[in-house]
Amino acid sequence: MAAGEAPWSFAFAIPPATQGLRMYSSDFLHGTEDPWTRPISAAHKMVETLTVFDDVFVPWERVFFYNRPDLAGAAALTFVEFHRFTAVSYKLPLLDALVGTGFAVAQANGIERAGHVREKLTWLAGYAETVRGLTQLAAQRCLTEVGIAYPDVFTTNLAKWTFARDFHHALDTVQDLAGGLLVTGPSGMDWKSPEIRPVLDKYLRGAWPADRRMAVINLISDLTARTYGGYQAVLAIHAEGSLEAEKLAMFRAYDSKRAIGLAMRLAGLSEN
Ligand SMILES: Cc1cc2nc3c(=O)[nH]c(=O)nc-3n(C[C@H](O)[C@H](O)[C@H](O)COP(=O)(O)OP(=O)(O)OC[C@H]3O[C@@H](n4cnc5c(N)ncnc54)[C@H](O)[C@@H]3O)c2cc1C
């Protein structure tokens, strides 16, 4: 922190119902939606807020520290490093869902043997398993000197950066395999109509019958193309810190001595 900013170095925790604390909710993912076209987001809601402290009284017993610039950096970084580790951990089921729907829709569309499709599915699986492997490595490399397992900073940020950097490519890969029905498919009302349904069953079948094919396509649409998909796309890039924040943390945490030492030895130079 810069000179004169010490009074801004504080941390506390208070209940959400405290007087003067206001949370202005985002309108993403609100309301009831059709569970046929939105199998995930109709059931699961996430609320984000702009949180404003307007003349809030914070009792001293709720204050972790105040006027301690020496603690401010460590407090912020400790939050971020655990937060990024939880991020890459909780993202794994989402990545598995993208890989799984990629394989399923390739079969539903009858294209799973095509060379370009196998290449795309291999990339998707490799991406998800790279993030999983880096997350496990961050845990295995944890520091224990502080009395708790502290995830390795470089590997945690590498895992998060790898996840965020390639997430949009994972979305376009699954969308490519699925086809345009992601946004041109019928509504749940038409699907339920006894008059229209036989037409949909006839024209929307692929290698799988229409009901199974559309269930997978609607899941992909919810995960990648509708409101929830847009939310996840921004979440990947910005939540838990943006891409540049992850690279900054990696550069700071990387211990370059071993690599430089090897380069010096190979060049026949002393390390000084
Ligand atoms: C769905 C969601 C949930 C979230 N939940 C939480 C939460 O629970 N708790 C929490 O604390 N935060 C949360 N966040 C906030 C998140 O941590 C921030 O959005 C993230 O750190 C990026 O900051 P920002 O949004 O201010 O974007 P910015 O930092 O403004 O980024 C926009 C662009 O500006 C660039 N930029 C920023 N600063 C500089 C600079 N000095 N020089 C050059 N370029 C710069 C960035 O690299 C980026 O390209 C959440 C975000 C999202 C999207």
Side-chain angles (χ1 to χ4, degrees):
M1 299 185 78
E5 290 180 347
W8 293 98
S9 54
F10 55 82
F12 59 86
I14 50 167
T18 302
Q19 192 171 7
L21 178 58
R22 298 236 151 83
M23 289 186 237
Y24 300 92
S25 296
S26 148
D27 73 347
F28 260 66
L29 307 178
H30 68 293
T32 43
E33 306 276 12
D34 183 344
W36 186 69
T37 50
R38 296 158 177 84
I40 303 284
S41 62
H44 304 283
K45 306 287 174 191
M46 289 175 74
V47 176
E48 310 293 346
T49 69
L50 166 69
T51 304
V52 176
F53 292 79
D54 183 7
D55 201 17
V56 173
F57 174 70
V58 180
W60 278 113
E61 65 266 23
R62 311 282 321 186
V63 177
F64 302 123
F65 62 82
Y66 170 70
N67 209 3
R68 291 286 306 271
D70 55 316
L71 296 180
L77 286 177
T78 305
F79 164 69
V80 160
E81 281 148 13
F82 278 97
H83 198 33
R84 282 185 198 152
F85 182 72
T86 55
V88 280
S89 304
Y90 81 72
K91 297 296 187 190
L92 297 174
L94 174 63
L95 298 190
D96 286 343
L98 289 176
V99 178
T101 52
F103 273 84
V105 84
Q107 289 173 21
N109 287 346
I111 54 170
E112 75 273 23
R113 295 218 175 119
H116 80 93
V117 173
R118 292 169 74 124
E119 189 273 327
K120 284 164 185 157
L121 293 173
T122 306
W123 182 87
L124 270 176
Y127 163 59
E129 290 306 302
T130 300
V131 177
R132 175 170 281 108
L134 289 171
T135 304
Q136 289 170 347
L137 189 63
Q140 283 164 6
R141 287 178 168 177
C142 68
L143 290 178
T144 52
E145 288 81 355
V146 285
I148 54 168
Y150 195 108
D152 179 67
V153 174
F154 180 83
T155 322
T156 299
N157 279 279
L158 177 60
K160 176 65 174 49
W161 179 56
T162 303
F163 159 75
R165 187 193 60 213
D166 287 344
F167 186 74
H168 286 231
H169 185 41
L171 298 182
D172 75 51
T173 303
V174 180
Q175 288 177 349
D176 175 9
L177 297 170
L181 279 170
L182 295 175
V183 296
T184 60
S187 72
M189 281 173 71
D190 280 351
W191 188 252
K192 282 194 212 118
S193 155
E195 200 185 322
I196 301 173
R197 178 66 181 272
V199 180
L200 301 179
D201 278 337
K202 179 177 178 186
Y203 290 108
L204 295 181
R205 67 166 300 127
W208 288 5
D211 59 338
R212 287 171 58 80
R213 183 174 178 232
M214 287 312 298
V216 175
I217 287 177
N218 282 337
L219 175 58
I220 295 173
S221 180
D222 202 13
L223 285 173
T224 74
R226 294 184 187 273
T227 307
Y228 182 71
Y231 171 85
Q232 289 293 344
V234 176
L235 190 81
I237 298 296
H238 279 297
E240 301 98 14
S242 60
L243 290 159
E244 296 307 319
E246 283 134 28
K247 283 191 263 176
L248 188 71
M250 283 167 62
F251 191 80
R252 280 185 186 152
Y254 182 64
D255 182 1
S256 58
K257 280 196 215 78
R258 187 187 54 193
I260 293 175
L262 176 62
M264 292 294 108
R265 278 204 308 285
L266 292 174
L269 298 172
S270 72
E271 286 185 38
N272 299 316

